[in-house]
């Protein structure tokens, strides 16, 4: 549940830096294999944010390519997700993949040339049961900083204090 430097996992998601409490940090080039056979009847999806930890943004890494496979025997692997190059400066890629009836999952992170600063991340990695709506977990009450600035910048500080105090406090929380 940390990046490879031992810190919190952070990725750029939709242009905003997001910190994750759960996930796996690895260095490219690497691969992880999980035996999910005891869960394959109950869990049919795998979801995660794939990316390069944001702490490496601006440091010049060449990025990482991800591949995710399934198998029933750990010999024959079927690719279910392949990404282009993802960098720490760019947005992470959210995946929600069908892993129904698979017994093994393999996740590869490959260096794109040099492997410097390729601190790959599988953030919020999880197996999901059929019918579960992962969006039910998203807390949408707090908006991006720009949302608050757009509203509050149209009024005076006194007006906002008297009429928009909740928005002012939410903005400070986000900031």
């Amino acid at each position: 549940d940390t990046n490879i430097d031992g810190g919190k996992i952070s990725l750029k998601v939709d242009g905003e830096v997001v910190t994750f409490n759960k996930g796996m940090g690895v260095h490219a080039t690497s691969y992880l294999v999980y035996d999910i056979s005891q869960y394959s009847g109950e869990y049919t999806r795998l979801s995660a944010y794939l990316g390069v930890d944001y702490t490496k943004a601006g440091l010049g890494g060449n990025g990482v390519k991800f591949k995710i496979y399934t198998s029933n025997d750990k010999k024959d692997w079927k690719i279910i997700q392949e990404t282009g190059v993802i960098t720490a400066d760019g947005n992470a890629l959210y995946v929600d993949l069908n892993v129904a009836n698979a017994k093994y999952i393999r996740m590869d992170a490959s260096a794109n040339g040099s492997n410097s600063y390729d601190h790959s991340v599988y953030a919020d990695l999880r197996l999901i049961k059929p019918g579960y709506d992962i969006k039910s977990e998203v807390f949408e009450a707090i908006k991006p900083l720009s949302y608050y600035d757009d509203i509050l910048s149209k009024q005076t500080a006194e007006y906002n204090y008297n009429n928009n105090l909740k928005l002012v406090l939410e903005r400070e929380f986000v900031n």
Side-chain angles (χ1 to χ4, degrees):
D1 293 331
T2 64
N3 62 29
I4 66 170
D5 293 324
K8 286 272 193 181
I9 293 170
S10 62
L11 293 172
K12 193 183 235 186
V13 177
D14 297 328
E16 302 282 332
V17 178
V18 178
T19 302
F20 294 87
N21 291 322
K22 296 286 183 186
M24 181 79 61
V26 297
H27 202 290
T29 295
S30 64
Y31 70 93
L32 304 168
V33 176
Y34 288 98
D35 179 346
I36 62 165
S37 57
Q38 69 184 31
Y39 306 109
S40 63
E42 190 175 357
Y43 295 85
T44 59
R45 295 170 25 226
L46 173 109
S47 73
Y49 287 90
L50 311 177
V52 177
D53 198 82
Y54 190 74
T55 59
K56 303 306 168 197
L59 296 179
N62 294 337
V64 175
K65 296 176 184 179
F66 293 88
K67 291 182 183 177
I68 300 176
Y69 305 82
T70 58
S71 175
N72 287 320
D73 59 10
K74 269 175 84 173
K75 294 176 187 167
D76 296 317
W77 294 95
K78 176 185 172 190
I79 190 162
I80 58 171
Q81 178 70 49
E82 183 172 9
T83 73
V85 176
I86 299 175
T87 65
D89 295 312
N91 281 314
L93 175 67
Y94 177 74
V95 295
D96 187 340
L97 306 171
N98 181 355
V99 296
N101 302 314
K103 293 183 179 169
Y104 301 93
I105 294 172
R106 176 178 167 155
M107 301 181 297
D108 291 4
S110 300
N112 181 40
S114 166
N115 71 347
S116 60
Y117 306 112
D118 290 346
H119 294 201
S120 311
V121 172
Y122 303 94
D124 205 22
L125 177 65
R126 63 174 87 187
L127 291 171
I128 302 172
K129 293 180 179 183
Y132 182 74
D133 181 11
I134 199 163
K135 291 179 182 177
S136 67
E137 296 178 7
V138 177
F139 184 68
E140 295 184 16
I142 298 189
K143 308 291 184 199
L145 194 59
S146 59
Y147 169 84
Y148 299 101
D149 288 346
D150 287 345
I151 295 171
L152 297 172
S153 66
K154 295 175 183 169
Q155 303 296 334
T156 66
E158 183 178 347
Y159 179 88
N160 285 330
Y161 181 78
N162 291 324
N163 299 290
N164 291 327
L165 185 58
K166 181 179 179 211
L167 285 176
V168 170
L169 296 173
E170 286 177 7
R171 184 199 181 280
E172 287 306 305
F173 178 76
V174 171
N175 193 25

